[in-house]
Structures are given as C-alpha cells and as structure tokens.
Amino acid sequence: MPLPKASNIFVSNSFFIFITRFFPSLANLLVMIWYSRHLPQELYGSYQLFWIQLYVIYPIICFGIHTFIITYSRNLLANILSRIKKKHYIIFCSWIFGISSAFALLQQDAGAVSFITSFLFILTFSVSMITEALLIVFRKYILISVTGMLYAIAFCIVHWYGLTDTFSLQHIFTCLLIINLLRVFTYSCAILTEIKKDTEGYEHEEIDIPTIRSLWIHLGIYDIVQMLSSWIDKFVISLLLTAELSAIYYNGAQNIPFLPLLLSAAGSAVLLQLASDKFKNETENTISLVNQSGRVLSCIVFPIFFFLLFFRNELIVTLLSEKYIPAIPIFAVYILILPVRAYSFTTVLQRRHKGNIINAGAIAELLLACAIMYPLYLLLGLPGVALSFVISTYLQAAFYLMYTGKLLGVNPSTLIPVVNWLVKLVIFAAILISIHYIGIIYYTGKFTLFLGAMGMGLLVAISLLIELNSNKKHGNVATASFEEH
C-alpha cells in the first residue's frame, strides 16, 4: 500500500534534521581548508590533535544518550525520564566531570590548551549534543537551525582572526568555549520552555525498563565503538608518527563533510516516524521506509563518491595546496567507503531493540580493522591503514543486512533497492568520468574541478527530483516489492 503521507513526513524530517547540523559541519570544512593552506603542517597537526582526542572521548561522556533520546516519542521519553532516580543523575554528573577531567589532563600535557578551558570545552560540547537531541524530539528544527548557523558563523570568525602572527591554540579554544556556552544556554532555555507547556503532564504509558536500559547501554557502547572506528586510526597515527605525517593522513582520511549528517538524519527520521505512527503492519512499513531512505540517500551519495574519486587530484591540490599531494593516495582509498553510506544499516535493529547485534557488528568491525591495520601499513604504507577500515566496514554492513533480513523474516535483498542502485552507479560513473576526461584534455585543473562540481550538483538535483516525483506518483515501490516476496 502506498504511503505518500509517510514519505512526505520522512523527507521533511530528514531535511530538517540534516539542516540543523549542516552549518557547523560546513564551518569545520572551511576551517580545515584555511588552516591546511596557511599553517605549517606541524602546527596544523597540533591543532587537529585537540579535535581528534575530543571526538574520541566525548562519546564516552554522552554514552549514547543523544542517540537513545530520538528512539522514542516525546510522551514515552517523558515517562522514561520520570522513572530515573535522583542518585542516577548524580552518578551521571560525576561520570561527566571525571571523563572531562581526563580529557583536560591530556590537553594540559600537550601544553597547547589549559586544563580549565579543555575541561569546560568538552563538557559544554557533550551537553550540547544531548540538548540538541531533546530539541529534535520536540521538533524545534528552526531554533536548532538558526542556532547552528550562528554558531558556524562565529566559529569561522574566531578561526579567521586566529590566523595572525601571534597564533595561539589557547586563545582560539577559549573563544570557542564562549560560543559553546551560549549554545548550551540557548538550548537549555528552549527545553525548559517546552517542558512548561506541558502543564497537564504526560499520559502514562507502560514501559519495559529493563529492555529500555539494555538498549541505552548497547547504544552507548555502539556510539563509542563507532566513533573509535572513525578516529582511532588518526588518534594512533597522531601519537606514533610526526605531526607532519599526522596532518597528511588526517587530510587524506578525512570524513567527507555532510554525509555522516545525511545518514544520521535519514536514520533519525525513520525512527521518529516509526515511534510516532501506529502502523497495522510495522514490518511492511519499516521495509518501505528503509528502502525509501536508501533510494533518496543514493541520489546524493553516489554522485559525490564518483566526483571525489575521479577528481581527487584536482580537489586536493586546489583546496589544500600542493603540500598535501602525498594525501591523494590515502584519500583515493578512504572514499571507497562512501557507497555503503547510502543506507542506514542499524535503523531497524535499533527500532527492534537489538542493541546486542548492533554492538557485535561494531566491535567486530573495529577489531578487524585494528588487526589488519599494521599488516596493510607494512604492505601499502599509510593508504593501507585507510584500506583496513574500508574492508571492515563493508563486512560489517553485510552482517547487519543479513541479520536484519532474518529479524524481519525476509530476504536481505528486499531491504535495499538493488536495481535502483545499480542503474544509478552506472549512469553517474559514466557521466562524471566523461566530464573529467574532457576537462583534463581541454581545461586547467581548477576549471576541470569546477566542471565536475557542476556536473555532480546537477546529478544530485535531477536524480533527487526524479526520485521524489516517483514516490508521489507511484507510492513506495519497496512495499510492492515486499508484497511480491
């Protein structure tokens, strides 16, 4: 049965959740480009060390709470929070302060940023993640978007003025701390305002506390493992190799901006809709939603993948300068991970409270990557380190897909739009490789990059338009496919 209303809600939620995090991600990208071009590699490596350690440690502070929150409706979440005892809040606050202190000690030993600045920075950063998740549940998208945009502008201004003869990491992160404090204050006021609106309280719902607690613990572990999977290679290299080599690897193995946000937004939108809507056949509609998510995400992910693959030389040299040419082979290997990002493999497992399976796949992926990292490094150098995570990620995706199919009682192939993806892969690859071939023959590197970017943008826009119009005219194709099986 077609779900035009559900499809519209999904796209709307995905868009708003994505846009709330778009501007800070854009600001990070701009700063990475500026600082790569203007700072010596050693100083740039020291600057990135702060962020690498922050991204490794802050998930330990949050312990999956920001992910757990959006699993439930507003009403059910309020009932869950009302069951938490005061002593548990005190324990959690102690946990936050303890981990923040450990991070601050690391920065103090590095000698670039003071203890108190580092402590307050990671504390406010973590709290902003949790409060933002609450506002997403409250559907306060405009507030989060505007706050995110203002944060991004301030973030860029601080880094722009930081590029002076008296460049100081302490000064930069002190200014960023002030911005973090203002963001947390804004979010907190908005949450209190929303709570005050519910003067009559929430309707009581029966909840299974042991199951919910188990899901939270599993999500916390999964979030930590996922962040380690993204950053452990950069963290290890920053500790074992020189700051210059660390800077080269960091820029080559850089997470592609915005794509993690797209995946998170799509997964969150599916969870929000499944939590708020009461379907007669949840299995059928779950398959329908994840298929739709895969088709929409592929319209964005696949063109970006081929653009980055075919235009990697022009991209690195133009944006980061020639001193990062050694990062190109690392980049070429690392972006091979992108096609698998066109699907949220854990959404259904999270909805069905299969946190143990999510963690089994995440931990196995991390252990496998770490196990083959050094042998591949000896064989291929720094690109081998990137390849270890590409291999482990594809195997993890296959594991999740197979188990989700088993959980829903369907063939795993029905969970992804295989034919839709294959057609797009062939068409997008042919178009972008043709543009690159023409560009390198007739134009300069910068203009070739411009042509490729224009072609990529048009492919994203056209394919998205076709996909969304198809949903409106014919409903969700995934449902029909499911019924055939």
Side-chain angles (χ1 to χ4, degrees), residues 157-341:
I157 291 174
V158 168
H159 283 86
W160 181 265
Y161 281 102
L163 287 175
T164 63
D165 295 334
T166 58
F167 179 86
S168 168
L169 292 179
Q170 173 64 40
H171 179 69
I172 287 176
F173 285 106
T174 298
C175 294
L176 293 179
L177 171 61
I178 296 173
I179 300 172
N180 277 350
L181 288 168
L182 291 173
R183 181 168 62 168
V184 170
F185 176 76
T186 302
Y187 286 171
S188 300
C189 290
I191 290 171
L192 291 174
T193 301
E194 286 297 309
I195 292 175
K196 289 180 181 179
K197 291 180 181 178
D198 301 300
T199 55
E200 298 180 359
Y202 292 94
E203 180 182 352
H204 177 73
E205 293 185 34
E206 292 295 329
I207 54 179
D208 186 351
I209 291 296
T211 300
I212 290 173
R213 185 189 299 115
S214 176
L215 175 64
W216 165 57
I217 293 174
H218 285 302
L219 287 177
I221 296 173
Y222 175 75
D223 193 50
I224 293 172
V225 173
Q226 281 294 96
M227 196 59 73
L228 285 175
S229 179
S230 298
W231 292 92
I232 192 64
D233 54 337
K234 304 174 184 67
F235 183 77
V236 171
I237 287 175
S238 69
L239 294 179
L240 299 180
L241 301 181
T242 64
E244 291 88 347
L245 287 176
S246 177
I248 290 172
Y249 183 82
Y250 179 87
N251 280 355
Q254 179 65 229
N255 292 323
I256 306 305
F258 317 128
L259 290 187
L261 302 185
L262 279 173
L263 179 63
S264 175
S268 298
V270 172
L271 287 171
L272 286 170
Q273 188 164 333
L274 290 174
S276 60
D277 293 342
K278 304 299 183 182
F279 296 117
K280 293 182 179 179
N281 190 332
E282 183 174 330
T283 296
E284 180 178 326
N285 288 284
T286 297
I287 295 172
S288 175
L289 283 171
V290 295
N291 266 269
Q292 182 191 2
S293 172
R295 291 196 305 273
V296 172
L297 283 175
S298 65
C299 294
I300 302 170
V301 175
F302 291 173
I304 292 176
F305 165 66
F306 287 117
F307 167 72
L308 295 176
L309 181 64
F310 298 142
F311 294 82
R312 60 186 181 276
N313 293 343
E314 294 83 0
L315 185 71
I316 295 294
V317 172
T318 301
L319 295 183
L320 305 182
S321 79
E322 293 183 354
K323 63 185 177 182
Y324 286 101
I325 288 178
I328 294 176
I330 303 170
F331 183 75
V333 172
Y334 199 76
I335 60 175
L336 295 177
I337 208 171
L338 290 188
V340 80
R341 300 303 190 198

Side-chain angles (χ1 to χ4, degrees), residues 131-152:
T131 51
E132 183 178 90
L134 282 170
L135 290 175
I136 289 175
V137 174
F138 293 155
R139 304 294 204 277
K140 304 299 291 184
Y141 298 127
I142 295 178
L143 172 67
I144 307 174
S145 300
V146 173
T147 303
M149 182 177 64
L150 295 176
Y151 171 87

Side-chain angles (χ1 to χ4, degrees), residues 37-52:
R37 297 180 65 88
H38 292 92
L39 291 181
Q41 288 179 330
E42 182 177 1
L43 187 54
Y44 176 72
S46 299
Y47 166 77
Q48 290 295 353
L49 179 63
F50 183 95
W51 291 108
I52 290 171

Side-chain angles (χ1 to χ4, degrees), residues 3 7 10-11 266-267 270 274 282-299 302 342-345 347-348 401 404-405 408 410-421 424 467-468 470-471 475-483 485:
L3 298 170
S7 298
F10 163 76
V11 173
V270 172
L274 290 174
E282 183 174 330
T283 296
E284 180 178 326
N285 288 284
T286 297
I287 295 172
S288 175
L289 283 171
V290 295
N291 266 269
Q292 182 191 2
S293 172
R295 291 196 305 273
V296 172
L297 283 175
S298 65
C299 294
F302 291 173
Y343 192 85
S344 178
F345 290 91
T347 298
V348 177
L401 194 65
T404 301
L408 297 178
V410 299
N411 189 315
S413 63
T414 64
L415 299 172
I416 55 176
V418 179
V419 175
N420 181 280
W421 281 3
K424 287 175 181 175
E467 196 68 68
L468 295 178
S470 176
N471 282 336
N476 203 312
V477 180
T479 303
S481 176
F482 170 78
E483 290 172 349
H485 286 76

